[in-house]
Amino acid sequence: MNAPFQNEATGPTKTAEAKVPLTVLIAAPRGFCAGVDRAIEIVERALGRFGAPVYVRHEIVHNRFVVESLKAKGAVFVEELDQVPEGVPVVFSAHGVPKSVPAEAERREMTYLDATCPLVSKVHRQAERHLEANRHIIFIGHRGHPEAVGTYGQVPEGSMTVIETVEEVESLDFPAEAPLAFLTQTTLSVDDTAQVVAALRAKYPHIVGPKAEDICYATSNRQAAVKEIAGKCELVLVIGSPNSSNSVRLVEVAERCGAKARLIQRASEIDASWLDGVSTLGLTAGASAPEPLVLEVIERLGELREVAVNEVVTAQEQIVFKLPRQLID
């Protein structure tokens, strides 16, 4: 949950030159979600318990600042388990992994910790239940994204079909009465996914789906917060990585609300010319972007304009996920 925004650098910077006022609307909720908090804490606790190095398969979350911070503490990031030496612990990323990964870790008798977000794990369990019920699974998600790879790695090859758009629904050619189910990636656009689900249900009325789409609370809340501020802004800045699905979706949401939007990783990327003609700017952060980066952006804006900050709160988040048993004292 985001704490109430407090920042000393919201007033004019002390320079002789007068600056044009800029109102900054900061979305809340923003930044870290419970799954990201948990994943980072798993790596940090593993370092405390086992000592450095602790290996991490893939980026623990999609944020360079977070990854570099953990590297400085002794985490080593690799792409596959064959890059992990014998006798050291390994952590699986928050995005989830195919079943083959923990199976290989157990074959090698490795100490491993699974930092998969519990909401992603919930989708994995749903996939297993649909498989047991002999349903073919249609997975709505981004091909190649680590979460999608981890999800379709829960079932045998050929048991799941991945689609991204309404147009791809139209091209599906399953028999009318084929036993089908659908699942979704947790970080998708709420609006886009609703359209794909509606198309699926129209084409296959008997298709079985979750009681609510699998898009996680944090993704939904951050998109709703951006919708609240974007219509009042000429420009929205989204702090996040280009490979962060939920961050890219926030940019799309802002643009659909009529604002220009830019995805940035650090404050140093902000060009002063972006603020030309901008009187109100929106600011948010993807679910894997930490709050210090928000403060950094506010400070940078304060160097360019006389900044007044208003936080716009649309929801309160109080969810906390339990840590793996191996790390609980």
PDB file of all heavy atoms in Angstrom, residues 86-116:
ATOM      1  N   GLU A  86      26.868 -25.686  -8.243  1.00  0.00           N
ATOM      2  CA  GLU A  86      26.411 -26.588  -7.198  1.00  0.00           C
ATOM      3  C   GLU A  86      26.560 -25.928  -5.822  1.00  0.00           C
ATOM      4  O   GLU A  86      27.476 -25.152  -5.589  1.00  0.00           O
ATOM      5  CB  GLU A  86      27.231 -27.895  -7.219  1.00  0.00           C
ATOM      6  CG  GLU A  86      27.133 -28.660  -8.531  1.00  0.00           C
ATOM      7  CD  GLU A  86      25.733 -29.163  -8.816  1.00  0.00           C
ATOM      8  OE1 GLU A  86      24.995 -29.448  -7.855  1.00  0.00           O
ATOM      9  OE2 GLU A  86      25.372 -29.254 -10.009  1.00  0.00           O
ATOM     10  N   GLY A  87      25.629 -26.244  -4.930  1.00  0.00           N
ATOM     11  CA  GLY A  87      25.784 -25.849  -3.543  1.00  0.00           C
ATOM     12  C   GLY A  87      25.351 -24.446  -3.184  1.00  0.00           C
ATOM     13  O   GLY A  87      25.591 -24.000  -2.061  1.00  0.00           O
ATOM     14  N   VAL A  88      24.695 -23.733  -4.114  1.00  0.00           N
ATOM     15  CA  VAL A  88      24.212 -22.387  -3.793  1.00  0.00           C
ATOM     16  C   VAL A  88      22.701 -22.337  -3.996  1.00  0.00           C
ATOM     17  O   VAL A  88      22.157 -23.036  -4.852  1.00  0.00           O
ATOM     18  CB  VAL A  88      24.903 -21.292  -4.652  1.00  0.00           C
ATOM     19  CG1 VAL A  88      26.385 -21.246  -4.366  1.00  0.00           C
ATOM     20  CG2 VAL A  88      24.647 -21.527  -6.140  1.00  0.00           C
ATOM     21  N   PRO A  89      22.008 -21.511  -3.216  1.00  0.00           N
ATOM     22  CA  PRO A  89      20.549 -21.434  -3.368  1.00  0.00           C
ATOM     23  C   PRO A  89      20.156 -20.646  -4.610  1.00  0.00           C
ATOM     24  O   PRO A  89      20.907 -19.781  -5.090  1.00  0.00           O
ATOM     25  CB  PRO A  89      20.106 -20.704  -2.091  1.00  0.00           C
ATOM     26  CG  PRO A  89      21.291 -19.893  -1.685  1.00  0.00           C
ATOM     27  CD  PRO A  89      22.496 -20.681  -2.103  1.00  0.00           C
ATOM     28  N   VAL A  90      18.949 -20.932  -5.117  1.00  0.00           N
ATOM     29  CA  VAL A  90      18.432 -20.221  -6.282  1.00  0.00           C
ATOM     30  C   VAL A  90      16.987 -19.822  -6.002  1.00  0.00           C
ATOM     31  O   VAL A  90      16.234 -20.556  -5.361  1.00  0.00           O
ATOM     32  CB  VAL A  90      18.535 -21.081  -7.559  1.00  0.00           C
ATOM     33  CG1 VAL A  90      17.735 -22.358  -7.451  1.00  0.00           C
ATOM     34  CG2 VAL A  90      18.116 -20.280  -8.788  1.00  0.00           C
ATOM     35  N   VAL A  91      16.622 -18.646  -6.472  1.00  0.00           N
ATOM     36  CA  VAL A  91      15.266 -18.122  -6.312  1.00  0.00           C
ATOM     37  C   VAL A  91      14.623 -18.036  -7.688  1.00  0.00           C
ATOM     38  O   VAL A  91      15.246 -17.577  -8.650  1.00  0.00           O
ATOM     39  CB  VAL A  91      15.293 -16.722  -5.650  1.00  0.00           C
ATOM     40  CG1 VAL A  91      13.868 -16.165  -5.517  1.00  0.00           C
ATOM     41  CG2 VAL A  91      15.971 -16.783  -4.286  1.00  0.00           C
ATOM     42  N   PHE A  92      13.354 -18.465  -7.783  1.00  0.00           N
ATOM     43  CA  PHE A  92      12.594 -18.330  -9.024  1.00  0.00           C
ATOM     44  C   PHE A  92      11.840 -17.002  -8.992  1.00  0.00           C
ATOM     45  O   PHE A  92      11.302 -16.615  -7.961  1.00  0.00           O
ATOM     46  CB  PHE A  92      11.610 -19.485  -9.194  1.00  0.00           C
ATOM     47  CG  PHE A  92      12.244 -20.843  -9.173  1.00  0.00           C
ATOM     48  CD1 PHE A  92      11.540 -21.954  -8.718  1.00  0.00           C
ATOM     49  CD2 PHE A  92      13.548 -21.018  -9.607  1.00  0.00           C
ATOM     50  CE1 PHE A  92      12.118 -23.204  -8.697  1.00  0.00           C
ATOM     51  CE2 PHE A  92      14.142 -22.273  -9.594  1.00  0.00           C
ATOM     52  CZ  PHE A  92      13.427 -23.366  -9.129  1.00  0.00           C
ATOM     53  N   SER A  93      11.736 -16.339 -10.121  1.00  0.00           N
ATOM     54  CA  SER A  93      11.200 -14.980 -10.169  1.00  0.00           C
ATOM     55  C   SER A  93       9.715 -14.925  -9.863  1.00  0.00           C
ATOM     56  O   SER A  93       9.016 -15.950  -9.861  1.00  0.00           O
ATOM     57  CB  SER A  93      11.456 -14.344 -11.537  1.00  0.00           C
ATOM     58  OG  SER A  93      10.478 -14.745 -12.474  1.00  0.00           O
ATOM     59  N   ALA A  94       9.235 -13.706  -9.638  1.00  0.00           N
ATOM     60  CA  ALA A  94       7.825 -13.486  -9.290  1.00  0.00           C
ATOM     61  C   ALA A  94       6.882 -13.859 -10.421  1.00  0.00           C
ATOM     62  O   ALA A  94       5.677 -14.051 -10.185  1.00  0.00           O
ATOM     63  CB  ALA A  94       7.612 -12.022  -8.893  1.00  0.00           C
ATOM     64  N   HIS A  95       7.392 -13.974 -11.649  1.00  0.00           N
ATOM     65  CA  HIS A  95       6.526 -14.234 -12.799  1.00  0.00           C
ATOM     66  C   HIS A  95       6.095 -15.691 -12.907  1.00  0.00           C
ATOM     67  O   HIS A  95       5.175 -16.016 -13.662  1.00  0.00           O
ATOM     68  CB  HIS A  95       7.236 -13.822 -14.088  1.00  0.00           C
ATOM     69  CG  HIS A  95       7.713 -12.408 -14.076  1.00  0.00           C
ATOM     70  ND1 HIS A  95       9.025 -12.064 -13.868  1.00  0.00           N
ATOM     71  CD2 HIS A  95       7.032 -11.252 -14.220  1.00  0.00           C
ATOM     72  CE1 HIS A  95       9.142 -10.754 -13.886  1.00  0.00           C
ATOM     73  NE2 HIS A  95       7.952 -10.232 -14.097  1.00  0.00           N
ATOM     74  N   GLY A  96       6.763 -16.579 -12.167  1.00  0.00           N
ATOM     75  CA  GLY A  96       6.427 -17.988 -12.236  1.00  0.00           C
ATOM     76  C   GLY A  96       7.288 -18.732 -13.244  1.00  0.00           C
ATOM     77  O   GLY A  96       7.867 -18.135 -14.154  1.00  0.00           O
ATOM     78  N   VAL A  97       7.383 -20.034 -13.089  1.00  0.00           N
ATOM     79  CA  VAL A  97       8.231 -20.860 -13.955  1.00  0.00           C
ATOM     80  C   VAL A  97       7.466 -22.097 -14.400  1.00  0.00           C
ATOM     81  O   VAL A  97       6.536 -22.547 -13.727  1.00  0.00           O
ATOM     82  CB  VAL A  97       9.523 -21.291 -13.220  1.00  0.00           C
ATOM     83  CG1 VAL A  97      10.382 -20.089 -12.893  1.00  0.00           C
ATOM     84  CG2 VAL A  97       9.206 -22.088 -11.961  1.00  0.00           C
ATOM     85  N   PRO A  98       7.856 -22.674 -15.541  1.00  0.00           N
ATOM     86  CA  PRO A  98       7.272 -23.956 -15.943  1.00  0.00           C
ATOM     87  C   PRO A  98       7.600 -25.033 -14.916  1.00  0.00           C
ATOM     88  O   PRO A  98       8.590 -24.936 -14.180  1.00  0.00           O
ATOM     89  CB  PRO A  98       7.959 -24.249 -17.283  1.00  0.00           C
ATOM     90  CG  PRO A  98       8.485 -22.930 -17.759  1.00  0.00           C
ATOM     91  CD  PRO A  98       8.812 -22.147 -16.525  1.00  0.00           C
ATOM     92  N   LYS A  99       6.787 -26.084 -14.878  1.00  0.00           N
ATOM     93  CA  LYS A  99       7.024 -27.181 -13.934  1.00  0.00           C
ATOM     94  C   LYS A  99       8.394 -27.821 -14.117  1.00  0.00           C
ATOM     95  O   LYS A  99       8.960 -28.381 -13.173  1.00  0.00           O
ATOM     96  CB  LYS A  99       5.942 -28.247 -14.099  1.00  0.00           C
ATOM     97  CG  LYS A  99       4.625 -27.912 -13.432  1.00  0.00           C
ATOM     98  CD  LYS A  99       3.667 -29.086 -13.503  1.00  0.00           C
ATOM     99  CE  LYS A  99       2.405 -28.808 -12.694  1.00  0.00           C
ATOM    100  NZ  LYS A  99       1.470 -29.956 -12.742  1.00  0.00           N
ATOM    101  N   SER A 100       8.925 -27.730 -15.320  1.00  0.00           N
ATOM    102  CA  SER A 100      10.217 -28.366 -15.591  1.00  0.00           C
ATOM    103  C   SER A 100      11.352 -27.741 -14.782  1.00  0.00           C
ATOM    104  O   SER A 100      12.370 -28.394 -14.531  1.00  0.00           O
ATOM    105  CB  SER A 100      10.538 -28.262 -17.088  1.00  0.00           C
ATOM    106  OG  SER A 100      10.573 -26.902 -17.508  1.00  0.00           O
ATOM    107  N   VAL A 101      11.184 -26.485 -14.364  1.00  0.00           N
ATOM    108  CA  VAL A 101      12.265 -25.795 -13.654  1.00  0.00           C
ATOM    109  C   VAL A 101      12.432 -26.325 -12.230  1.00  0.00           C
ATOM    110  O   VAL A 101      13.533 -26.751 -11.856  1.00  0.00           O
ATOM    111  CB  VAL A 101      12.050 -24.270 -13.678  1.00  0.00           C
ATOM    112  CG1 VAL A 101      13.086 -23.559 -12.812  1.00  0.00           C
ATOM    113  CG2 VAL A 101      12.135 -23.756 -15.110  1.00  0.00           C
ATOM    114  N   PRO A 102      11.385 -26.339 -11.382  1.00  0.00           N
ATOM    115  CA  PRO A 102      11.580 -26.948 -10.062  1.00  0.00           C
ATOM    116  C   PRO A 102      11.901 -28.444 -10.152  1.00  0.00           C
ATOM    117  O   PRO A 102      12.620 -28.976  -9.291  1.00  0.00           O
ATOM    118  CB  PRO A 102      10.248 -26.695  -9.346  1.00  0.00           C
ATOM    119  CG  PRO A 102       9.277 -26.343 -10.396  1.00  0.00           C
ATOM    120  CD  PRO A 102      10.045 -25.718 -11.503  1.00  0.00           C
ATOM    121  N   ALA A 103      11.406 -29.119 -11.170  1.00  0.00           N
ATOM    122  CA  ALA A 103      11.729 -30.542 -11.341  1.00  0.00           C
ATOM    123  C   ALA A 103      13.232 -30.722 -11.557  1.00  0.00           C
ATOM    124  O   ALA A 103      13.858 -31.624 -10.980  1.00  0.00           O
ATOM    125  CB  ALA A 103      10.939 -31.128 -12.505  1.00  0.00           C
ATOM    126  N   GLU A 104      13.824 -29.842 -12.361  1.00  0.00           N
ATOM    127  CA  GLU A 104      15.265 -29.908 -12.598  1.00  0.00           C
ATOM    128  C   GLU A 104      16.034 -29.544 -11.331  1.00  0.00           C
ATOM    129  O   GLU A 104      17.066 -30.152 -11.021  1.00  0.00           O
ATOM    130  CB  GLU A 104      15.641 -28.971 -13.744  1.00  0.00           C
ATOM    131  CG  GLU A 104      17.136 -28.796 -13.987  1.00  0.00           C
ATOM    132  CD  GLU A 104      17.847 -30.080 -14.404  1.00  0.00           C
ATOM    133  OE1 GLU A 104      17.173 -31.081 -14.720  1.00  0.00           O
ATOM    134  OE2 GLU A 104      19.090 -30.072 -14.405  1.00  0.00           O
ATOM    135  N   ALA A 105      15.533 -28.547 -10.587  1.00  0.00           N
ATOM    136  CA  ALA A 105      16.190 -28.166  -9.337  1.00  0.00           C
ATOM    137  C   ALA A 105      16.181 -29.322  -8.342  1.00  0.00           C
ATOM    138  O   ALA A 105      17.175 -29.579  -7.645  1.00  0.00           O
ATOM    139  CB  ALA A 105      15.502 -26.944  -8.736  1.00  0.00           C
ATOM    140  N   GLU A 106      15.075 -30.045  -8.285  1.00  0.00           N
ATOM    141  CA  GLU A 106      15.001 -31.188  -7.375  1.00  0.00           C
ATOM    142  C   GLU A 106      15.903 -32.330  -7.847  1.00  0.00           C
ATOM    143  O   GLU A 106      16.534 -33.012  -7.028  1.00  0.00           O
ATOM    144  CB  GLU A 106      13.548 -31.655  -7.265  1.00  0.00           C
ATOM    145  CG  GLU A 106      12.667 -30.665  -6.501  1.00  0.00           C
ATOM    146  CD  GLU A 106      11.200 -31.033  -6.501  1.00  0.00           C
ATOM    147  OE1 GLU A 106      10.870 -32.138  -6.996  1.00  0.00           O
ATOM    148  OE2 GLU A 106      10.380 -30.228  -6.023  1.00  0.00           O
ATOM    149  N   ARG A 107      15.996 -32.518  -9.151  1.00  0.00           N
ATOM    150  CA  ARG A 107      16.879 -33.560  -9.684  1.00  0.00           C
ATOM    151  C   ARG A 107      18.316 -33.300  -9.283  1.00  0.00           C
ATOM    152  O   ARG A 107      19.063 -34.220  -8.938  1.00  0.00           O
ATOM    153  CB  ARG A 107      16.756 -33.634 -11.206  1.00  0.00           C
ATOM    154  CG  ARG A 107      17.532 -34.776 -11.847  1.00  0.00           C
ATOM    155  CD  ARG A 107      17.617 -34.633 -13.353  1.00  0.00           C
ATOM    156  NE  ARG A 107      18.462 -33.522 -13.756  1.00  0.00           N
ATOM    157  CZ  ARG A 107      19.804 -33.548 -13.765  1.00  0.00           C
ATOM    158  NH1 ARG A 107      20.444 -34.642 -13.357  1.00  0.00           N
ATOM    159  NH2 ARG A 107      20.504 -32.500 -14.165  1.00  0.00           N
ATOM    160  N   ARG A 108      18.686 -32.007  -9.278  1.00  0.00           N
ATOM    161  CA  ARG A 108      20.055 -31.619  -8.906  1.00  0.00           C
ATOM    162  C   ARG A 108      20.212 -31.426  -7.400  1.00  0.00           C
ATOM    163  O   ARG A 108      21.278 -31.041  -6.936  1.00  0.00           O
ATOM    164  CB  ARG A 108      20.438 -30.337  -9.641  1.00  0.00           C
ATOM    165  CG  ARG A 108      20.640 -30.502 -11.131  1.00  0.00           C
ATOM    166  CD  ARG A 108      21.004 -29.184 -11.798  1.00  0.00           C
ATOM    167  NE  ARG A 108      22.169 -28.547 -11.167  1.00  0.00           N
ATOM    168  CZ  ARG A 108      22.618 -27.334 -11.482  1.00  0.00           C
ATOM    169  NH1 ARG A 108      21.985 -26.605 -12.410  1.00  0.00           N
ATOM    170  NH2 ARG A 108      23.676 -26.824 -10.883  1.00  0.00           N
ATOM    171  N   GLU A 109      19.136 -31.663  -6.658  1.00  0.00           N
ATOM    172  CA  GLU A 109      19.153 -31.509  -5.198  1.00  0.00           C
ATOM    173  C   GLU A 109      19.584 -30.097  -4.798  1.00  0.00           C
ATOM    174  O   GLU A 109      20.343 -29.908  -3.848  1.00  0.00           O
ATOM    175  CB  GLU A 109      20.055 -32.563  -4.548  1.00  0.00           C
ATOM    176  CG  GLU A 109      19.595 -33.989  -4.827  1.00  0.00           C
ATOM    177  CD  GLU A 109      20.451 -35.022  -4.133  1.00  0.00           C
ATOM    178  OE1 GLU A 109      21.569 -34.683  -3.696  1.00  0.00           O
ATOM    179  OE2 GLU A 109      20.006 -36.177  -4.025  1.00  0.00           O
ATOM    180  N   MET A 110      19.032 -29.112  -5.517  1.00  0.00           N
ATOM    181  CA  MET A 110      19.338 -27.708  -5.246  1.00  0.00           C
ATOM    182  C   MET A 110      18.425 -27.183  -4.148  1.00  0.00           C
ATOM    183  O   MET A 110      17.283 -27.634  -3.998  1.00  0.00           O
ATOM    184  CB  MET A 110      19.153 -26.862  -6.512  1.00  0.00           C
ATOM    185  CG  MET A 110      19.950 -27.318  -7.706  1.00  0.00           C
ATOM    186  SD  MET A 110      19.559 -26.366  -9.197  1.00  0.00           S
ATOM    187  CE  MET A 110      20.483 -24.856  -8.868  1.00  0.00           C
ATOM    188  N   THR A 111      18.915 -26.219  -3.392  1.00  0.00           N
ATOM    189  CA  THR A 111      18.066 -25.459  -2.491  1.00  0.00           C
ATOM    190  C   THR A 111      17.424 -24.347  -3.313  1.00  0.00           C
ATOM    191  O   THR A 111      18.124 -23.508  -3.885  1.00  0.00           O
ATOM    192  CB  THR A 111      18.888 -24.834  -1.347  1.00  0.00           C
ATOM    193  OG1 THR A 111      19.465 -25.880  -0.566  1.00  0.00           O
ATOM    194  CG2 THR A 111      18.015 -23.961  -0.457  1.00  0.00           C
ATOM    195  N   TYR A 112      16.090 -24.384  -3.416  1.00  0.00           N
ATOM    196  CA  TYR A 112      15.446 -23.344  -4.215  1.00  0.00           C
ATOM    197  C   TYR A 112      14.277 -22.735  -3.464  1.00  0.00           C
ATOM    198  O   TYR A 112      13.645 -23.369  -2.611  1.00  0.00           O
ATOM    199  CB  TYR A 112      14.998 -23.877  -5.580  1.00  0.00           C
ATOM    200  CG  TYR A 112      13.862 -24.864  -5.564  1.00  0.00           C
ATOM    201  CD1 TYR A 112      12.528 -24.437  -5.612  1.00  0.00           C
ATOM    202  CD2 TYR A 112      14.102 -26.230  -5.533  1.00  0.00           C
ATOM    203  CE1 TYR A 112      11.482 -25.347  -5.619  1.00  0.00           C
ATOM    204  CE2 TYR A 112      13.065 -27.144  -5.541  1.00  0.00           C
ATOM    205  CZ  TYR A 112      11.760 -26.700  -5.582  1.00  0.00           C
ATOM    206  OH  TYR A 112      10.720 -27.594  -5.580  1.00  0.00           O
ATOM    207  N   LEU A 113      14.016 -21.483  -3.776  1.00  0.00           N
ATOM    208  CA  LEU A 113      12.920 -20.719  -3.189  1.00  0.00           C
ATOM    209  C   LEU A 113      12.068 -20.186  -4.321  1.00  0.00           C
ATOM    210  O   LEU A 113      12.588 -19.613  -5.283  1.00  0.00           O
ATOM    211  CB  LEU A 113      13.470 -19.558  -2.349  1.00  0.00           C
ATOM    212  CG  LEU A 113      14.323 -19.969  -1.151  1.00  0.00           C
ATOM    213  CD1 LEU A 113      15.188 -18.817  -0.692  1.00  0.00           C
ATOM    214  CD2 LEU A 113      13.432 -20.448  -0.014  1.00  0.00           C
ATOM    215  N   ASP A 114      10.765 -20.394  -4.218  1.00  0.00           N
ATOM    216  CA  ASP A 114       9.847 -19.991  -5.281  1.00  0.00           C
ATOM    217  C   ASP A 114       9.212 -18.651  -4.919  1.00  0.00           C
ATOM    218  O   ASP A 114       8.395 -18.563  -4.003  1.00  0.00           O
ATOM    219  CB  ASP A 114       8.774 -21.054  -5.476  1.00  0.00           C
ATOM    220  CG  ASP A 114       7.932 -20.815  -6.717  1.00  0.00           C
ATOM    221  OD1 ASP A 114       8.112 -19.758  -7.356  1.00  0.00           O
ATOM    222  OD2 ASP A 114       7.103 -21.681  -7.043  1.00  0.00           O
ATOM    223  N   ALA A 115       9.607 -17.592  -5.642  1.00  0.00           N
ATOM    224  CA  ALA A 115       9.052 -16.258  -5.388  1.00  0.00           C
ATOM    225  C   ALA A 115       7.885 -15.940  -6.301  1.00  0.00           C
ATOM    226  O   ALA A 115       7.479 -14.781  -6.418  1.00  0.00           O
ATOM    227  CB  ALA A 115      10.142 -15.195  -5.553  1.00  0.00           C
ATOM    228  N   THR A 116       7.313 -16.953  -6.953  1.00  0.00           N
ATOM    229  CA  THR A 116       6.161 -16.730  -7.817  1.00  0.00           C
ATOM    230  C   THR A 116       5.047 -16.017  -7.044  1.00  0.00           C
ATOM    231  O   THR A 116       4.694 -16.423  -5.934  1.00  0.00           O
ATOM    232  CB  THR A 116       5.614 -18.067  -8.358  1.00  0.00           C
ATOM    233  OG1 THR A 116       6.635 -18.732  -9.104  1.00  0.00           O
ATOM    234  CG2 THR A 116       4.410 -17.838  -9.249  1.00  0.00           C
TER     235      THR A 116
END
